[in-house]
Amino acid sequence: MHNNFLFDLDQTLLDFHASEYKALGIVLESNGLSFSEEIYQAFKDYNKALWLELEKGNITRQELFVKRFQYIFSKCEGDASALDPMKINDDFIRTMSVNGVLMEGALEFVKNVKDNIPDARIYIASNGATINAKGRIASTGLDKYIDYLFISEDMGVAKPDAAFFDICLDRISESVTSCIMVGDSLSSDMLGAKNASMESVWFMPSGNIEEAFIEYDINYTADTFEELYVVLQKWATHAR
Ligand SMILES: [Mg+2]
């Protein structure tokens, strides 16, 4: 039996927003357009609104990709008249997937878990696009320490669905008590662990922590990678 650590990816080990910011800047500026904090914020806000429209079935994925760049072109200084928003969108996705940004201290933390906690196996359990997750992981060097990636797009089911964790457990082939889920999100990571009857660590918790602790059957919290390491080390050495 191993100590099976399941880590969420975004805002747990990698900084999704920092990658997005970096990629948007690279793509806009290399096409002669301006980029700023305000432009990134406008992109984020409009993108979020479009994803809601997509979820409601009002627009297609293709329309979302085109519209977000048409909109952002109108916010930038520079001549966008010859630019194809779909091509820019493709460039943006590709650029983001090779520009992973680590949460500060994440690489050292993961290495420490892998090297110093006996029988540690490290898994990623992430909701998102496979190319984006795999590319960003490889571009940061995290991939060296990871035993397997569970990505919702590959699996056809997402956290917090218990079916997502069933697939993970099937592959891990060890009991659920040998696993612990670490993540920043209550609605996907902590609820998912609860649905799967798996122990959990809420990483960098915020809001009403005590209330959430009870509602989501959370076992531990940690505010920093140092604290998280101590929690995981204790969990691993206690008889379960
Ligand atoms: Mg997350």
Side-chain angles (χ1 to χ4, degrees):
M1 190 93 95
H2 293 83
N3 290 305
N4 295 303
F5 300 107
L6 283 79
F7 291 99
D8 167 53
L9 190 61
D10 289 318
Q11 312 320 116
T12 296
L13 297 178
L14 294 188
D15 187 337
F16 182 87
H17 305 298
S19 278
E20 199 176 50
Y21 183 93
K22 199 170 163 185
L24 193 61
I26 290 171
V27 168
L28 293 178
E29 287 176 346
S30 69
N31 282 285
L33 298 176
S34 65
F35 180 64
S36 65
E37 184 66 47
E38 290 71 40
I39 287 172
Y40 175 60
Q41 201 52 51
F43 177 83
K44 252 176 83 172
D45 293 344
Y46 191 65
N47 192 40
K48 193 172 173 186
L50 288 174
W51 277 101
L52 291 175
E53 290 305 306
L54 179 74
E55 280 167 21
K56 287 186 209 151
N58 295 339
I59 56 168
T60 64
R61 226 177 145 82
Q62 178 99 0
E63 283 168 338
L64 180 149
F65 291 151
V66 169
K67 274 170 181 280
R68 66 182 185 178
F69 277 96
Q70 280 173 338
Y71 172 78
I72 223 61
F73 292 166
S74 76
K75 298 279 166 193
C76 298
E77 284 167 33
D79 180 15
S81 58
L83 299 177
D84 172 0
M86 199 59 209
K87 187 194 163 291
I88 300 293
N89 183 77
D90 290 345
D91 284 352
F92 167 69
I93 291 175
R94 199 177 323 111
T95 304
M96 186 168 168
S97 74
V98 292
N99 280 283
V101 179
L102 290 155
M103 297 291 281
E104 201 184 334
L107 190 66
E108 298 73 12
F109 162 78
V110 169
K111 183 180 187 313
N112 202 13
V113 170
K114 188 75 181 166
D115 291 348
N116 297 316
I117 296 185
D119 305 316
R121 276 192 179 163
I122 295 180
Y123 299 94
I124 297 299
S126 172
N127 285 350
T130 308
I131 303 269
N132 191 292
K134 279 191 177 164
R136 283 185 300 134
I137 287 169
S139 72
T140 57
L142 260 184
D143 53 331
K144 286 195 289 291
Y145 307 106
I146 292 169
D147 291 280
Y148 196 77
L149 305 173
F150 297 105
I151 311 287
S152 64
E153 188 185 52
D154 275 346
M155 297 153 78
V157 61
K159 300 176 290 184
D161 199 324
F164 178 97
F165 292 87
D166 287 343
I167 295 172
C168 299
L169 287 166
D170 219 49
R171 164 90 202 193
I172 293 169
S173 293
E174 294 185 1
S175 80
V176 69
T177 58
S178 71
C179 303
I180 189 162
M181 176 71 211
V182 180
D184 68 301
S185 160
L186 286 177
S187 59
S188 60
D189 306 323
M190 297 302 101
L191 183 59
K194 180 182 178 178
N195 290 342
S197 303
M198 188 180 289
E199 287 195 72
S200 60
V201 187
W202 189 16
F203 187 48
M204 296 193 284
S206 62
N208 192 333
I209 297 172
E210 279 177 36
E211 205 175 279
F213 215 77
I214 296 163
E215 189 181 340
Y216 295 92
D217 288 345
I218 295 168
N219 299 88
Y220 311 92
T221 60
D223 286 304
T224 62
F225 283 120
E226 288 75 19
E227 268 184 45
L228 182 58
Y229 182 79
V230 172
V231 166
L232 296 183
Q233 193 185 36
K234 276 189 190 155
W235 175 82
T237 50
H238 281 124
R240 293 191 294 275

